Every structure is written in C-alpha cells, then in structure tokens.
Amino acid sequence: QVQLVESGGGFVQAGESLRLSCAVSGRTVSRYPMGWFRQAPGKEREFVAAISWNGGTTNYADSLKGRLTISRDNAKNTVYLQMNSLKPEDTAVYYCALDIDLYGAGSIRGNDYDYWGQGTQVTVSS
C-alpha cells in the first residue's frame, strides 16, 4: 500500500554531489520517520541518515557526518539526501525506508523500518 520510490542516483566523479529523493505514495503523506541506508556489493546494509516525522531530529552515520544532509518536504511527500564530496567508497545502492512508529526519532536500525524503496544506484568514479 505504501510505496517509496528513490531517484537521483547516477554516475558521478569523486568530489561531486548528488541529491537523492524519496517520494512516498499511498496512504501516508510522508509524515513518518524516514531513513536512508545503503548497500555496496558484498557488504552489509548500513545506516546512512534518518529524520523524524517533522524534520526536527536528524541522525547521521558517524563516518558520513559532515558530507550529508537529510531533509524533508512533507507537503511534497518527499525526503531528500544531499550528498557532497562523494568518494568512490560511497558507491552503493541507496534505499529509503519508512518507520510507521510516528514517535521514532530516526532509528539507525534497519529492522525498525516497515517499508522500503527499491533503491537507487550511486556510482562514484575516481
């Protein structure tokens, strides 16, 4: 019923920037905690960033903090992930996810999320 569709991924050179988008459709109007995760080939899925339902609280992976900004526009039912100074190590499929627990502050645990998008590929070349 709830659908999350990521977009904005692509091929970039190291040092460039991308803004990923996650459009939410269905019953929700994107007024839920949301998270971004990523998974590189052969690696486990890892937490990237999360945001509370109203954007008041954000969380970032320590290793990525400073290069990322997660934001949301609830009027557009969209969550964004601005990624700057991209590195080859950032190459991965990026997923957005929705937590139906409205009181969640933005969990770093993937199991806390109930709906997932299909992912968008980000490839950063040297």
Side-chain angles (χ1 to χ4, degrees), residues 4-9 20-24 33-51 68 70 79-81 83 90-99 107-110 113 115-122:
L4 310 177
V5 180
E6 301 95 335
S7 62
L20 308 183
S21 299
C22 177
V24 183
M34 300 284 294
W36 285 96
F37 294 78
R38 69 183 185 183
Q39 187 167 26
K43 297 183 179 180
E44 68 279 1
R45 183 177 62 192
E46 65 175 332
F47 170 75
V48 175
I51 189 167
L68 307 176
I70 187 171
V79 176
Y80 304 97
L81 182 68
M83 307 176 65
D90 296 319
T91 296
V93 177
Y94 285 72
Y95 300 90
C96 67
L98 181 151
D99 181 3
S107 178
I108 67 172
R109 298 174 296 181
Y113 293 86
Y115 297 95
W116 293 80
Q118 84 290 343
T120 185
Q121 177 71 47
V122 172

Side-chain angles (χ1 to χ4, degrees), residues 5-27:
V5 180
E6 301 95 335
S7 62
F11 296 85
V12 298
Q13 297 183 121
E16 295 183 344
S17 300
L18 283 174
R19 189 179 76 162
L20 308 183
S21 299
C22 177
V24 183
S25 62
R27 289 181 56 191

